[in-house]
Amino acid sequence: MSPKYVYFFGNGAADGKAEMKHLLGGKGANLAEMTNLGIPVPPGFTITTEVCDAYYKNNKQYPKGLSEEIEQNLSRLEKLMGAKLGDPNNPLLVSVRSGAAASMPGMMDSVLNLGLTPDAVNVLIKKTGNERFVWDAYRRFITMFGDVVMGVERHCFEEVLDKYKKKARVKSDTELTTDQLKKIVEEFKAIYKKETRENFPNDPKIQLQKAINAVFASWNNPRAVKYRQLYEIKGLLGTAVNVQSMVFGNMGNHSATGVCFTRNPSTGENKFYGEFLINAQGEDVVAGIRTPEPIADLEKEMPDVYKLLVKYKNTLEKHFRDVQDIEFTIQENRLFMLQTRNGKRTTQAAVKIAVDMVKERLIDKKTAISRINPNELDQLLHPTFDPKAKKEIIAVGLPASPGAATGKVVFNAEDAEKLAAKKEKVILVRKETSPEDIGGMHVSKGVLTTRGGMTSHAAVVARGMGKCCVAGCGALIVDYKTQTFKVGGKVVKKGDYISIDGSTGEVMLGQVSTIEPRLSGDFAVLMEWADEIRKLKVRTNADTPADAKKARELGAEGIGLCRTEHMFFGEHRIDSVRQMILSAPDVKNLKAKIAGIEKELAKATNNKTLAIKKELAQAKKELTEPLRLYISALKKLLPIQRRDFEQIFTTMDGLPVTIRLLDPPLHEFLPQEEYNQKEMAKQMKISLKEVQDKVSALHELNPMLGHRGCRLGVTYPEIYDMQVQAIIEAACNVKKKGVTVCTEIMLPIISTEQEFSILKDSVHRIAKEVMQKKGVQIEYMVGTMIELPRAALIADKIAKHAEFFSFGTNDLTQMTFGFSRDDVGSFVPEYIEKGILEKDPFQILDQEGVGQLVEIGIKRGRSTRPELKVGICGEHGGNPQTIAFCHKIGMNYVSCSPFRVPIARLAAAQASLQQPVSQATV
Amino acid sequence: MSPKYVYFFGNGAADGKAEMKHLLGGKGANLAEMTNLGIPVPPGFTITTEVCDAYYKNNKQYPKGLSEEIEQNLSRLEKLMGAKLGDPNNPLLVSVRSGAAASMPGMMDSVLNLGLTPDAVNVLIKKTGNERFVWDAYRRFITMFGDVVMGVERHCFEEVLDKYKKKARVKSDTELTTDQLKKIVEEFKAIYKKETRENFPNDPKIQLQKAINAVFASWNNPRAVKYRQLYEIKGLLGTAVNVQSMVFGNMGNHSATGVCFTRNPSTGENKFYGEFLINAQGEDVVAGIRTPEPIADLEKEMPDVYKLLVKYKNTLEKHFRDVQDIEFTIQENRLFMLQTRNGKRTTQAAVKIAVDMVKERLIDKKTAISRINPNELDQLLHPTFDPKAKKEIIAVGLPASPGAATGKVVFNAEDAEKLAAKKEKVILVRKETSPEDIGGMHVSKGVLTTRGGMTSHAAVVARGMGKCCVAGCGALIVDYKTQTFKVGGKVVKKGDYISIDGSTGEVMLGQVSTIEPRLSGDFAVLMEWADEIRKLKVRTNADTPADAKKARELGAEGIGLCRTEHMFFGEHRIDSVRQMILSAPDVKNLKAKIAGIEKELAKATNNKTLAIKKELAQAKKELTEPLRLYISALKKLLPIQRRDFEQIFTTMDGLPVTIRLLDPPLHEFLPQEEYNQKEMAKQMKISLKEVQDKVSALHELNPMLGHRGCRLGVTYPEIYDMQVQAIIEAACNVKKKGVTVCTEIMLPIISTEQEFSILKDSVHRIAKEVMQKKGVQIEYMVGTMIELPRAALIADKIAKHAEFFSFGTNDLTQMTFGFSRDDVGSFVPEYIEKGILEKDPFQILDQEGVGQLVEIGIKRGRSTRPELKVGICGEHGGNPQTIAFCHKIGMNYVSCSPFRVPIARLAAAQASLQQPVSQATV
């Protein structure tokens, strides 16, 4: 027997239920659930997502038996409604809507008023006595059918509508007369014929069949595919098709349509929120073509209906235990619920709602934690406009999605993408947005529209993206042709800077300065709950005391990566660094020479010693100047590094601080410009040519694979010695002042066991000397980064000496893939497009390949040192998917940039919920 | 009970035997063996290598009980000899010699004539009636004791000796009178006192103790350590010490000493070979101070002794089944054998001897195979001087070690090492060489000495190294001070080129041209035996028909790596390549643009189409020129590549040919010089600036990790398509002419499964098209290089699509270590010196790290495709140690440069002998 393809709902009972989202889509499942809850829903039936799947798998053929099932359910619907599709005397009108398991607002196409024919129009006019409504419904139907089913561009129809409105000197569609609508219908049909080369179909069965086809076809249209890509929606069978009897919000002034949220989706406030339009169909609200009234006004206009609506929305929120985004229609004072779904919300709202619902005992803490997308916390962590900043406010629109955005004005999605690709900040300014603009919105800092309300396309999508949005800012006159907008006599051109405030709706000229966000209240509560649940520690990558402070405020439990080389670039430091680097190779070579001569001297007999002694004296003399420069440069750097470390230790009092010794190839620090080279020559009292020779001698073909990291520590031991001295001295100094220091000295780019053991011995030697001198004992560990495949493969050997591992997944990704992070721009985007790579492996850890090495490294490391502390300090440490992986494979901590610390805390908690027992604790 | 530390030998019986080399050292074990064989050996005892090991492990303290054991054995020796160490009436004299398990000729120190004191001198004079002999022995003892035991430099003594010879106007030491020798002894004692600040010891027990100490100490002296490093001698406990009663070759004209080989160690000829000196001690022969007589002359001088010597040498060769290197002494017509060991020989000799001994049924083929060091075969594969070349012969010395060498003259080891480090070819010219020169000899192309014979230090060591050597070229007057040598009125300065022929002894001015070696006779026989035994196939890396031909001659069974990019550099090809590369990115971008516009056009309605069509036409017009250039460049390259492939296929008729598609980053082909850039601009009809912009746009920071290999195939599909077309067309064309083609198309730098599957589909598509057009079916495979860690880790997935794997261990080493082959020069030498790396991992595969990935790759690859063909094509493919590893882990073949093919054949056979069953066949 073939599976059931069609599920009926209506008359208080439904074949489906909420749990069947995968099969019925979100809309279909919830229509069934609402029906079962006794909430008035226009009856209808849902064709399952399995049909969509079978359709695409079977070369766009429907499964056998489907049409019979549709026929049966249509009959049942007709019986229930007492009307028949295409019945000249009693025609049934239906809507045909898409609905996949994941919400994809505005992405999929729907057709309303299906079943209208010239005959049906006449009957309906007789039945309703409302001629204008019927003609209005007819012109809408032609538009939607032409657009969605036949691919006639919507603007072809709209131009006609505008022409008539202009002619009639009216602003709103509702002001058009019946006669005008009749003429419009004629023109629409002509457009339809011209564009499709066929007549508009008068057989409702054909209309229905074509509409169902169109919905299934829309599943794979480019914007739907793009949307799924952007939001990483995967594993769906396809869309379901909901065929539902029509109710009309445009039957006159006792009819209305609206969209509402059980709580404020922008702020999270527990207050009924929404909008409605009298005498309109649903699309008018969502499309933002007319600006609707706030939901509260409905109480005044239709108090009984409003009461019912409040009752239903309360039922629904309690039933679903989450904020509901509800569509409703009032047909001549009768309320119908057309849709309910979990409401999209801003992150700020998500946090507030989650915390509130725990307090209201609607959900538990774990549910609250799992409801927040960690990546979106980013929004709360970013700046808002400085209230003290001078603002030239040129307009105020609706505060549709909070945030502060500054950028260059662009007027279409394509320009937005182009400029963003050049790392420009852009603000996308549109009359209204449509699903085609998704890509452009995604790359913009903010979105500004002149039409549409709080639930308009722009507003809904922007909130979903966590993007700042000001909507319905009618004061702006946008001219796409000249790529400008005018407001109050001012003209803003493409490329001019503006700033928009999504929390106030303000639009400002120029770039307005911003301030840091404050993280307290609900956010802090949520973070506490996350901290209770998570097993992974969260540290930060911080190179400066300021970063360390910020990270600690954001909940960092230590520093996982303090890059000492970043300290080298400050003020007058770089000169000393350069002096050190330029003299180091000379010192090394001369020292080797002197050692050789001394060996000879030790063996030499009297008659030879004189000559050798002379040679030795000469070599020592040659060494004097480079050595003086080298030592003096190191001496200058020592107190600078020490001071940095003192500040960082003090800031992180009581928390671990992992300090990585010098890592990048030396030539990265060298003067490349002749001006700077001259300066160095002067300082070092050598010729420009000599400086240039030294710089070019240090040049490397593949610096990423060159003389860097611990390789420097081996060949120029004085540099690491200086750094260790600075660290231990700093630790001793602050300990004397009562600070608790737990420092972890980290050796980078280790590839062999011997490298580590030799350098570790040096660290201990210097540390011992310093502690003896200072008379202070401090706790410290010596460990390594695992960032080369070889290090992961021989981790068991390295762990014999190393007290901790920190996976440097940036380098590990580079080596494992053979990708240079600096050079992959020429092919990685194409790789992602072609599906060769799912993701940029520098953003999300490649678990398939690089992840294997991380697992191998941990397993082998712990095989020789079971208590080995393991963390990650690549950019990946702040990525929630990667954090889940780190939890799974038993790391002790992740380390990420300060602003990603809360994200990591939440992601770590979610990882614990998903996998309560990690490999580490097994 | 403590272990036995001392092993006695003498009077026809010994505690030890030949198999105890590890414990007794080679010399001690063979002295025992000879004693047991009834061959006359002066009795003595051996202190084991375990003592040496214990001595170093226990802070230079000897194990308990040792001195008692020495005392007991000394008593036994004294009883047997009827003389006593230090007995004023009947003093015993002994030699103290080192001897480790591995032969380290001239590396370790020995002391002869130990036991001499002023008292003993008097008694001996009385007993022998040979005053001169006794004083001569005494002066030798003081020299050796002073030098070896106390570190007094030998030249201090030699200067005195020279002074007396000059004064007496004699040339040879033997011409000095007893009185002169007496005075010399006095002066020697004074020198000893001055240098050591103590008197020369007159107590023989103290002499013995100090001498034993010195031998053990010499185990770790720098030149011994260096020697073990150079020859990769590992795993030894230390040296043994042989204390043996003295016999004297310097007791007059019926005494002699000599060194001989059972066969000619230079040519391998089965003819008794050696030298002797009348009235001399052994050191005189080895040190090359006097030029000895050929062994055949002994027959005339002492026919009975000679007969006995021949008998013993025959016994020894048969017993040991290998060429013996024998030291003997004749004391007043009585023959004593002092040492026997397997003789070092040239590679040419080794091959001949191995093959001859199989024919003589002394050894079997497997033993023959295992006796040749594959690395040394290299010597046989390298050029000899062209007999037709013009040669200015300035002198002829002894042909001490065969080969043809050309290089700049240097006069000491240090200069040799310095110049060699700069990739200069050098010839080391010395009066005589000493162990201190080992390093310098190693880096020189050849060695030329003015003193010493065929068994002098220079000759022995050079043969061991497979280095060309001309010894004893007395015509040359070397002046170290002015760094010149004079010969027949010509002066040759340091840095001048000379050429030396180790097979003829000729020394020539300037650089003499060379010719290729011919490989036949014994060599061919040996190679056949190797082929019977080995399991691994041996292929070659060859990019040209000439290389392919050479490799096939040398026994290559296919091409494992044919690099197509090397073909790009020929004659006029590079221009087309550059044109292709410079236009490729434009073509790509414009094509993407056109595709975008066409999509728009497809969707557009009438009123929009016109504008879009215009845009499209414009974009297509813009594309014309780059596309024309691109296509025309590809079209020009196609026939060139096809012709190359046709020739290679024809050369390799019947054997597999693996062709790698384009691998290096494109910018490697681009013109960097402005002159060339101008030329390109002219050809492409664009401005110089545009060419420069394109070149700089293609520049990469880390090209090794950049846009290369299959990444080019993905982004510029036309290039790979052209290459595949050329390969398949070539294969079809030659197949029509009767050539059997088995081509394997190899995709480089694969990191993901999708990369491979996409590109493989393209290869099949093009191949199908070509074969249809040509009407020919050819066999081909598509496989990949495994050269990225990720590829090894996901080999199971890649092998689902790939028909073969070739491990590109050069890149795999780079990525696994994070080492750029081009940049490691700044630290890898220091790493090897400090023991962080044992070897340069680009020369010998790092089994510990990189090897793990190779094993993982094979195991996983065969898990999804059990019949997967696996090979290696990095530089490592010609390295014997790596070949053994490849055999062990179950590869099907190795591929190496043409001249290493015989080495690989032999190494593969040896691997089969060591491990008859590889993982592959398990």
Side-chain angles (χ1 to χ4, degrees), chain A residues 342-353:
Chain A
N342 292 338
K344 284 193 189 284
R345 64 209 81 176
T346 63
T347 308
Q348 192 189 343
V351 171
K352 179 165 176 50
I353 291 166

Side-chain angles (χ1 to χ4, degrees), chain B residues 384-398:
Chain B
T384 51
F385 288 122
D386 183 354
K388 292 174 211 144
K390 224 187 113 194
K391 297 178 198 170
E392 189 179 346
I393 299 170
I394 50 174
V396 179
L398 298 173

Side-chain angles (χ1 to χ4, degrees), chain A residues 151-153 155-156 159 194-195 414 436 588 600 603-608 699-708 710-712 714-717 749 751-755 758 788-791 793-794 797 814-820 822-824 826-827 830-831 834-837 846 848-850 852-853 856 860, chain B residues 151-153 155-156 159 194-195 414 436 588 600 603-608 699-708 710-712 714-717 749 751-755 758 788-791 793-794 797 814-820 822-824 826-827 830-831 834-837 846 848-850 852-853 856 860:
Chain A
V152 181
E153 289 206 14
H155 72 88
C156 302
E159 278 164 13
K194 183 174 157 202
E195 295 287 335
E414 202 189 337
E436 273 88 1
K588 182 182 143 194
E600 264 185 70
K603 289 192 309 184
T605 46
N606 284 346
N607 60 340
K608 265 200 179 174
H699 172 76
E700 296 184 305
L701 287 175
N702 293 284
M704 207 59 89
L705 305 172
H707 197 174
R708 56 179 288 221
C710 68
R711 300 164 197 170
L712 298 170
V714 170
T715 49
Y716 304 122
I749 306 284
S751 65
T752 76
E753 180 186 353
Q754 294 79 0
E755 265 175 337
I758 287 175
L788 297 173
R790 196 175 191 282
L793 292 166
I794 61 156
K797 293 173 187 167
Q814 295 200 107
M815 307 305 167
T816 307
F817 271 96
F819 283 179
S820 153
D822 299 318
D823 301 310
V824 291
S826 50
F827 60 92
E830 199 167 333
Y831 266 42
K834 288 190 171 162
I836 293 174
L837 290 174
D846 160 51
E848 187 187 11
V850 182
Q852 278 195 52
L853 286 175
I856 287 171
R860 296 197 180 164
Chain B
V152 181
E153 290 209 12
H155 73 88
C156 301
E159 278 164 13
K194 182 174 156 206
E195 294 289 334
E414 201 188 338
E436 273 88 1
K588 181 181 144 193
E600 263 185 71
K603 288 194 308 181
T605 46
N606 284 346
N607 60 338
K608 264 199 178 175
H699 172 76
E700 295 184 304
L701 288 175
N702 294 284
M704 207 59 90
L705 305 172
H707 196 173
R708 57 178 288 221
C710 69
R711 300 164 197 168
L712 297 170
V714 169
T715 50
Y716 303 121
I749 306 282
S751 65
T752 77
E753 180 186 353
Q754 294 79 358
E755 267 174 335
I758 287 175
L788 298 173
R790 196 176 192 279
L793 292 166
I794 62 157
K797 293 174 187 165
Q814 294 200 106
M815 307 304 168
T816 306
F817 271 96
F819 284 0
S820 153
D822 300 317
D823 300 309
V824 291
S826 50
F827 61 91
E830 198 166 335
Y831 265 43
K834 289 190 172 162
I836 293 174
L837 289 173
D846 160 52
E848 186 187 11
V850 181
Q852 279 195 51
L853 285 175
I856 287 172
R860 296 196 182 164

Side-chain angles (χ1 to χ4, degrees), chain B residues 597 601 608-619:
Chain B
I597 299 174
L601 186 63
K608 264 199 178 175
T609 49
L610 199 69
I612 296 176
K613 277 179 180 166
K614 242 179 170 171
E615 206 186 329
L616 187 61
Q618 178 58 31

Side-chain angles (χ1 to χ4, degrees), chain A residues 498-664:
Chain A
I498 63 168
S499 301
I500 62 175
D501 188 332
S503 309
T504 63
E506 289 167 341
V507 180
M508 294 152 278
L509 274 188
Q511 304 188 62
V512 177
S513 65
T514 53
I515 52 162
E516 297 301 307
R518 291 178 54 208
L519 299 167
S520 53
D522 295 327
F523 179 83
V525 171
L526 192 82
M527 282 293 119
E528 263 173 44
W529 295 345
D531 293 347
E532 287 167 17
I533 291 166
R534 71 187 158 91
K535 303 268 191 322
L536 273 177
K537 296 264 178 198
V538 175
R539 298 197 192 175
T540 191
N541 302 345
D543 308 334
T544 63
D547 278 359
K549 186 160 169 284
K550 181 85 230 166
R552 191 164 193 169
E553 281 167 23
L554 292 172
E557 295 163 294
I559 292 180
L561 177 62
C562 174
R563 283 160 291 217
T564 49
E565 60 269 18
H566 286 198
M567 301 174 180
F568 282 2
F569 280 107
E571 328 123 47
H572 305 301
R573 302 170 177 198
I574 190 67
D575 284 347
S576 300
V577 174
R578 287 173 174 171
Q579 195 169 298
M580 167 185 88
I581 292 167
L582 291 175
S583 41
D586 289 345
V587 171
K588 182 182 143 194
N589 294 338
L590 285 164
K591 278 192 172 171
K593 191 174 168 187
I594 288 171
I597 300 173
E598 278 172 344
K599 224 185 239 166
E600 264 185 70
L601 186 63
K603 289 192 309 184
T605 46
N606 284 346
N607 60 340
K608 265 200 179 174
T609 50
L610 198 68
I612 296 177
K613 277 181 180 166
K614 241 181 173 172
E615 205 185 330
L616 187 60
Q618 178 58 30
K620 281 187 175 170
K621 201 176 145 197
E622 279 172 38
L623 179 61
T624 315
E625 188 53 20
L627 193 61
R628 194 191 63 74
L629 283 170
Y630 188 52
I631 300 294
S632 91
L634 286 167
K635 272 194 182 153
K636 270 185 226 157
L637 286 169
L638 176 68
I640 295 173
Q641 291 237 303
R642 188 174 54 219
R643 198 177 56 229
D644 287 333
F645 294 137
E646 283 170 1
Q647 289 175 6
I648 288 173
F649 289 147
T650 306
T651 307
M652 300 308 283
D653 186 1
L655 297 178
V657 175
T658 308
I659 298 171
R660 179 177 74 184
L661 302 187
L662 191 66
D663 180 54

